[in-house]
Amino acid sequence: MSSTPFHPSTSFVGRQFIELGIAESTNKTAAEMLARGELVHGAVILAHEQTAGQGQRGRTWSSAKGLDLTFSVVLFPAVLKADRQFILSKVAALAVHDVVRSMVKAEVKIKWPNDILVERRKIAGILIQNDLMGENVSSSVIGIGLNVNNTVFDEGILATSMALECGGTADRWHVLSRLCERLEERWKDVEHGDDLSGPYAAELWARGRWTEMTLDGASIMARPMDVDPSGRLILELEGGQVQAYGLERLRFAGR
Ligand code: BTN
Protein backbone atom coordinates (compact mmCIF):
# COMPACT_ATOMS: atom_id res chain seq x y z
CA MET A 1 0.00 0.00 0.00
CA SER A 2 1.28 3.48 -0.73
CA SER A 3 1.22 6.47 1.61
CA THR A 4 -0.44 8.69 -1.00
CA PRO A 5 -3.42 10.87 -0.09
CA PHE A 6 -5.73 8.53 -1.97
CA HIS A 7 -8.69 7.77 0.25
CA PRO A 8 -11.80 6.94 -1.75
CA SER A 9 -15.02 6.40 0.17
CA THR A 10 -15.64 3.07 -1.49
CA SER A 11 -16.15 -0.50 -0.44
CA PHE A 12 -14.28 -2.14 -3.32
CA VAL A 13 -13.00 0.21 -6.06
CA GLY A 14 -9.47 1.23 -5.08
CA ARG A 15 -9.26 -0.97 -1.97
CA GLN A 16 -6.39 -2.73 -3.75
CA PHE A 17 -4.22 0.11 -5.06
CA ILE A 18 -1.03 -0.32 -7.05
CA GLU A 19 0.95 2.85 -7.70
CA LEU A 20 3.67 2.71 -10.34
CA GLY A 21 6.14 5.47 -11.16
CA ILE A 22 6.39 4.27 -14.73
CA ALA A 23 4.69 1.59 -16.82
CA GLU A 24 4.29 0.86 -20.51
CA SER A 25 0.52 0.85 -20.07
CA THR A 26 -1.58 0.31 -16.97
CA ASN A 27 -3.97 -1.84 -19.03
CA LYS A 28 -1.03 -4.07 -19.96
CA THR A 29 0.15 -4.28 -16.34
CA ALA A 30 -3.41 -5.08 -15.26
CA ALA A 31 -3.70 -7.88 -17.85
CA GLU A 32 -0.38 -9.38 -16.69
CA MET A 33 -1.36 -9.22 -13.03
CA LEU A 34 -4.78 -10.65 -13.84
CA ALA A 35 -3.15 -13.59 -15.60
CA ARG A 36 -1.11 -14.24 -12.44
CA GLY A 37 -4.24 -14.06 -10.26
CA GLU A 38 -2.91 -11.06 -8.32
CA LEU A 39 -5.89 -8.70 -8.53
CA VAL A 40 -9.19 -8.46 -6.69
CA HIS A 41 -12.51 -6.94 -7.79
CA GLY A 42 -12.06 -3.16 -7.91
CA ALA A 43 -8.25 -3.14 -8.04
CA VAL A 44 -6.79 0.14 -9.30
CA ILE A 45 -3.41 0.35 -11.03
CA LEU A 46 -2.07 3.86 -11.53
CA ALA A 47 1.09 4.96 -13.35
CA HIS A 48 2.53 8.45 -13.09
CA GLU A 49 4.04 7.94 -16.53
CA GLN A 50 3.13 5.61 -19.39
CA THR A 51 5.69 4.86 -22.10
CA ALA A 52 3.32 3.02 -24.42
CA GLY A 53 -0.17 4.19 -23.49
CA GLN A 54 -2.80 2.42 -25.55
CA GLY A 55 -5.77 4.19 -27.12
CA GLN A 56 -8.80 2.95 -28.99
CA ARG A 57 -8.47 1.29 -32.40
CA GLY A 58 -4.75 0.61 -31.99
CA ARG A 59 -3.88 4.25 -31.43
CA THR A 60 -1.55 5.52 -28.73
CA TRP A 61 -2.50 7.59 -25.70
CA SER A 62 -0.18 10.41 -24.59
CA SER A 63 -0.28 11.99 -21.19
CA ALA A 64 2.00 14.36 -19.33
CA LYS A 65 4.25 12.67 -16.78
CA GLY A 66 3.06 13.42 -13.25
CA LEU A 67 0.37 15.84 -14.42
CA ASP A 68 -2.50 13.71 -15.68
CA LEU A 69 -4.27 10.56 -14.54
CA THR A 70 -3.61 7.24 -16.26
CA PHE A 71 -5.01 4.24 -14.47
CA SER A 72 -6.91 0.99 -14.90
CA VAL A 73 -9.68 -0.47 -12.80
CA VAL A 74 -10.29 -4.21 -12.78
CA LEU A 75 -13.77 -5.63 -12.30
CA PHE A 76 -14.92 -9.23 -12.07
CA PRO A 77 -18.59 -8.97 -13.06
CA ALA A 78 -20.61 -11.69 -11.27
CA VAL A 79 -22.87 -12.28 -14.26
CA LEU A 80 -22.53 -10.22 -17.40
CA LYS A 81 -23.33 -11.70 -20.80
CA ALA A 82 -20.81 -10.95 -23.52
CA ASP A 83 -23.51 -9.43 -25.72
CA ARG A 84 -24.23 -6.89 -22.93
CA GLN A 85 -20.62 -5.89 -22.30
CA PHE A 86 -21.25 -2.35 -23.54
CA ILE A 87 -22.71 -1.70 -20.10
CA LEU A 88 -19.10 -1.44 -18.88
CA SER A 89 -18.54 1.43 -21.33
CA LYS A 90 -21.62 3.14 -19.94
CA VAL A 91 -20.42 2.68 -16.35
CA ALA A 92 -16.98 4.10 -17.12
CA ALA A 93 -18.13 6.93 -19.38
CA LEU A 94 -20.85 8.05 -16.97
CA ALA A 95 -18.51 7.89 -13.97
CA VAL A 96 -15.88 10.05 -15.69
CA HIS A 97 -18.60 12.33 -17.01
CA ASP A 98 -20.05 12.73 -13.48
CA VAL A 99 -16.73 13.79 -12.00
CA VAL A 100 -15.70 16.13 -14.83
CA ARG A 101 -19.14 17.74 -14.90
CA SER A 102 -19.00 18.35 -11.15
CA MET A 103 -15.77 20.34 -11.59
CA VAL A 104 -16.16 22.08 -14.95
CA LYS A 105 -18.59 24.86 -15.85
CA ALA A 106 -18.81 24.18 -19.61
CA GLU A 107 -20.97 21.45 -21.15
CA VAL A 108 -19.60 17.91 -20.67
CA LYS A 109 -20.84 15.11 -22.95
CA ILE A 110 -20.06 11.51 -23.87
CA LYS A 111 -19.01 11.07 -27.47
CA TRP A 112 -19.99 7.54 -28.45
CA PRO A 113 -18.74 5.13 -27.44
CA ASN A 114 -16.85 6.55 -24.47
CA ASP A 115 -14.85 9.71 -25.11
CA ILE A 116 -15.51 12.53 -22.68
CA LEU A 117 -15.73 15.96 -24.28
CA VAL A 118 -15.90 19.43 -22.83
CA GLU A 119 -17.75 21.26 -25.58
CA ARG A 120 -15.83 19.93 -28.61
CA ARG A 121 -12.56 19.15 -26.83
CA LYS A 122 -11.58 15.72 -25.53
CA ILE A 123 -10.68 15.62 -21.85
CA ALA A 124 -10.69 11.86 -21.25
CA GLY A 125 -10.44 8.60 -23.14
CA ILE A 126 -11.41 5.11 -22.03
CA LEU A 127 -10.09 1.77 -23.24
CA ILE A 128 -11.95 -1.31 -22.01
CA GLN A 129 -10.50 -4.79 -22.50
CA ASN A 130 -12.67 -7.70 -21.43
CA ASP A 131 -11.90 -11.39 -20.99
CA LEU A 132 -14.71 -13.76 -21.85
CA MET A 133 -15.42 -17.19 -20.44
CA GLY A 134 -18.06 -18.93 -22.52
CA GLU A 135 -20.79 -16.39 -23.02
CA ASN A 136 -19.94 -14.33 -19.92
CA VAL A 137 -17.47 -11.53 -19.21
CA SER A 138 -15.08 -12.99 -16.63
CA SER A 139 -13.01 -9.87 -16.06
CA SER A 140 -12.78 -6.32 -17.33
CA VAL A 141 -9.88 -3.89 -17.44
CA ILE A 142 -11.20 -0.34 -17.64
CA GLY A 143 -8.35 1.99 -18.63
CA ILE A 144 -8.95 5.69 -18.11
CA GLY A 145 -6.79 8.57 -19.27
CA LEU A 146 -7.91 11.96 -17.93
CA ASN A 147 -6.15 15.21 -18.76
CA VAL A 148 -5.85 16.88 -15.39
CA ASN A 149 -3.00 19.40 -15.17
CA ASN A 150 -1.47 19.25 -18.63
CA THR A 151 -2.09 22.53 -20.44
CA VAL A 152 -0.08 21.99 -23.63
CA PHE A 153 -1.36 19.72 -26.38
CA ASP A 154 0.03 18.92 -29.81
CA GLU A 155 -1.17 21.26 -32.53
CA GLY A 156 -4.23 19.95 -34.31
CA ILE A 157 -5.41 17.93 -31.34
CA LEU A 158 -8.74 19.12 -30.02
CA ALA A 159 -8.05 18.45 -26.35
CA THR A 160 -8.50 20.13 -23.00
CA SER A 161 -7.81 19.44 -19.33
CA MET A 162 -9.29 20.12 -15.91
CA ALA A 163 -6.65 22.82 -15.35
CA LEU A 164 -7.55 24.59 -18.60
CA GLU A 165 -11.26 24.37 -17.87
CA CYS A 166 -11.15 25.31 -14.18
CA GLY A 167 -8.06 27.52 -13.99
CA GLY A 168 -5.35 26.57 -11.47
CA THR A 169 -4.14 23.12 -10.59
CA ALA A 170 -6.39 20.24 -9.71
CA ASP A 171 -5.49 17.73 -6.99
CA ARG A 172 -5.04 14.43 -8.86
CA TRP A 173 -5.59 12.31 -5.75
CA HIS A 174 -8.87 14.04 -5.06
CA VAL A 175 -9.99 13.54 -8.67
CA LEU A 176 -8.93 9.88 -8.60
CA SER A 177 -10.84 9.29 -5.36
CA ARG A 178 -13.99 10.85 -6.84
CA LEU A 179 -13.60 8.74 -10.00
CA CYS A 180 -13.35 5.55 -7.95
CA GLU A 181 -16.44 6.51 -5.97
CA ARG A 182 -18.51 7.24 -9.08
CA LEU A 183 -17.31 4.04 -10.78
CA GLU A 184 -18.41 2.03 -7.77
CA GLU A 185 -21.77 3.82 -7.58
CA ARG A 186 -22.46 3.35 -11.30
CA TRP A 187 -21.44 -0.32 -11.07
CA LYS A 188 -23.76 -0.82 -8.09
CA ASP A 189 -26.60 0.72 -10.15
CA VAL A 190 -25.96 -1.97 -12.78
CA GLU A 191 -25.93 -4.71 -10.14
CA HIS A 192 -29.32 -3.42 -8.99
CA GLY A 193 -30.71 -3.87 -12.49
CA ASP A 194 -30.25 -0.42 -14.06
CA ASP A 195 -29.00 -0.67 -17.65
CA LEU A 196 -27.99 3.03 -17.52
CA SER A 197 -29.63 3.64 -20.87
CA GLY A 198 -31.45 6.77 -19.64
CA PRO A 199 -28.42 8.61 -18.21
CA TYR A 200 -26.15 7.51 -21.06
CA ALA A 201 -28.56 8.69 -23.76
CA ALA A 202 -29.11 11.97 -21.90
CA GLU A 203 -25.38 12.76 -22.02
CA LEU A 204 -24.74 11.61 -25.61
CA TRP A 205 -22.77 14.18 -27.58
CA ALA A 206 -24.55 15.50 -30.71
CA ARG A 207 -27.77 13.74 -29.74
CA GLY A 208 -30.57 14.81 -32.07
CA ARG A 209 -28.21 17.02 -34.08
CA TRP A 210 -27.38 16.52 -37.75
CA THR A 211 -23.75 15.44 -37.68
CA GLU A 212 -21.20 14.38 -40.27
CA MET A 213 -20.26 10.73 -39.85
CA THR A 214 -18.45 8.02 -41.82
CA LEU A 215 -20.33 4.82 -42.62
CA ASP A 216 -18.33 2.09 -44.37
CA GLY A 217 -15.86 4.80 -45.39
CA ALA A 218 -18.50 7.06 -46.98
CA SER A 219 -19.49 10.41 -45.56
CA ILE A 220 -23.10 10.66 -44.32
CA MET A 221 -25.19 13.12 -42.33
CA ALA A 222 -27.11 11.55 -39.48
CA ARG A 223 -28.65 12.33 -36.12
CA PRO A 224 -27.38 10.21 -33.20
CA MET A 225 -30.39 9.24 -31.08
CA ASP A 226 -29.40 6.54 -28.58
CA VAL A 227 -27.45 3.28 -28.27
CA ASP A 228 -28.96 -0.19 -28.46
CA PRO A 229 -28.24 -2.83 -25.77
CA SER A 230 -25.22 -4.14 -27.70
CA GLY A 231 -23.73 -0.64 -27.84
CA ARG A 232 -24.44 0.17 -31.47
CA LEU A 233 -25.26 3.82 -32.11
CA ILE A 234 -28.85 4.36 -33.21
CA LEU A 235 -29.05 7.00 -35.94
CA GLU A 236 -31.72 8.79 -37.86
CA LEU A 237 -30.58 8.96 -41.49
CA GLU A 238 -31.43 11.69 -43.98
CA GLY A 239 -34.23 9.65 -45.53
CA GLY A 240 -35.86 9.33 -42.10
CA GLN A 241 -34.87 5.67 -41.55
CA VAL A 242 -33.59 4.71 -38.13
CA GLN A 243 -30.62 2.30 -38.10
CA ALA A 244 -28.06 1.06 -35.56
CA TYR A 245 -24.40 0.63 -36.46
CA GLY A 246 -21.36 -0.60 -34.54
CA LEU A 247 -17.84 0.76 -34.41
CA GLU A 248 -16.70 -1.56 -37.20
CA ARG A 249 -18.82 0.44 -39.68
CA LEU A 250 -19.47 3.84 -38.15
CA ARG A 251 -17.42 6.68 -36.76
CA PHE A 252 -17.70 10.40 -36.31
CA ALA A 253 -16.08 12.39 -39.09
CA GLY A 254 -12.63 13.72 -38.35
CA ARG A 255 -11.50 10.83 -36.10
C1 BTN B 1 -8.77 6.54 -26.27
O1 BTN B 1 -8.17 6.28 -27.32
O2 BTN B 1 -9.50 7.52 -26.18
C2 BTN B 1 -8.60 5.64 -25.07
C3 BTN B 1 -7.46 6.08 -24.21
C4 BTN B 1 -7.29 5.24 -22.96
C5 BTN B 1 -6.04 5.65 -22.20
C6 BTN B 1 -5.90 4.94 -20.89
S1 BTN B 1 -4.59 5.62 -19.92
C7 BTN B 1 -4.72 4.29 -18.80
C8 BTN B 1 -4.96 3.05 -19.61
N1 BTN B 1 -3.70 2.48 -20.04
C9 BTN B 1 -3.56 2.54 -21.36
O3 BTN B 1 -2.56 2.15 -21.99
N2 BTN B 1 -4.64 3.10 -21.93
C10 BTN B 1 -5.64 3.45 -20.92
Side-chain angles (χ1 to χ4, degrees):
M1 229 16 215
S2 80
S3 56
T4 54
F6 170 58
H7 303 295
S9 302
T10 53
S11 55
F12 60 93
V13 175
R15 296 285 98 197
Q16 183 183 10
F17 179 57
I18 294 147
E19 182 187 0
L20 305 170
I22 187 164
E24 282 180 42
S25 148
T26 56
N27 271 33
K28 183 166 182 271
T29 305
E32 290 164 357
M33 294 185 75
L34 258 179
R36 295 196 296 267
E38 294 172 351
L39 298 176
V40 302
H41 185 52
V44 170
I45 297 162
L46 170 124
H48 293 283
E49 180 181 7
Q50 289 192 131
T51 55
Q54 301 166 8
Q56 295 159 18
R57 299 195 184 108
R59 288 186 292 231
T60 56
W61 179 260
S62 311
S63 48
K65 176 181 172 181
L67 293 180
D68 295 326
L69 278 173
T70 48
F71 66 103
S72 302
V73 181
V74 174
L75 296 181
F76 295 96
V79 183
L80 176 61
K81 296 282 177 220
D83 62 3
R84 292 293 176 270
Q85 60 190 293
F86 189 75
I87 197 105
L88 291 157
S89 276
K90 290 182 185 171
V91 166
L94 283 167
V96 177
H97 173 274
D98 293 343
V99 174
V100 174
R101 195 187 51 184
S102 72
M103 300 179 75
V104 160
K105 283 204 193 78
E107 184 180 74
V108 183
K109 289 286 172 190
I110 301 168
K111 188 174 181 184
W112 176 80
N114 50 24
D115 286 350
I116 308 302
L117 303 193
V118 178
E119 290 169 347
R120 292 175 59 242
R121 296 181 181 275
K122 182 162 168 172
I123 195 164
I126 298 168
L127 178 66
I128 300 183
Q129 295 171 308
N130 296 328
D131 277 335
L132 306 183
M133 193 176 288
E135 52 185 32
N136 290 320
V137 177
S138 53
S139 63
S140 178
V141 175
I142 300 173
I144 298 174
L146 174 64
N147 301 330
V148 181
N149 289 320
N150 186 15
T151 52
V152 182
F153 297 97
D154 288 346
E155 218 172 291
I157 293 187
L158 222 45
T160 189
S161 66
M162 305 284 261
L164 284 173
E165 296 300 327
C166 307
T169 305
D171 178 343
R172 289 188 306 144
W173 296 114
H174 170 82
V175 177
L176 180 64
S177 299
R178 300 292 84 77
L179 286 165
C180 290
E181 288 158 10
R182 290 309 295 154
L183 276 163
E184 180 164 308
E185 282 156 22
R186 290 292 188 182
W187 181 246
K188 283 182 177 164
D189 291 343
V190 169
E191 288 185 320
H192 292 134
D194 189 345
D195 71 358
L196 302 179
S197 51
Y200 184 89
E203 301 307 338
L204 204 51
W205 184 76
R207 186 181 187 203
R209 223 170 50 218
W210 290 106
T211 306
E212 192 183 348
M213 306 196 73
T214 306
L215 178 64
D216 298 330
S219 179
I220 60 163
M221 292 301 286
R223 294 208 293 186
M225 307 304 289
D226 205 344
V227 289
D228 73 8
S230 66
R232 296 181 308 167
L233 188 65
I234 303 171
L235 297 176
E236 182 189 338
L237 303 172
E238 280 183 300
Q241 321 91 294
V242 174
Q243 290 279 354
Y245 298 102
L247 273 174
E248 68 293 347
R249 298 188 60 188
L250 183 74
R251 62 193 59 188
F252 285 97
R255 299 184 71 200

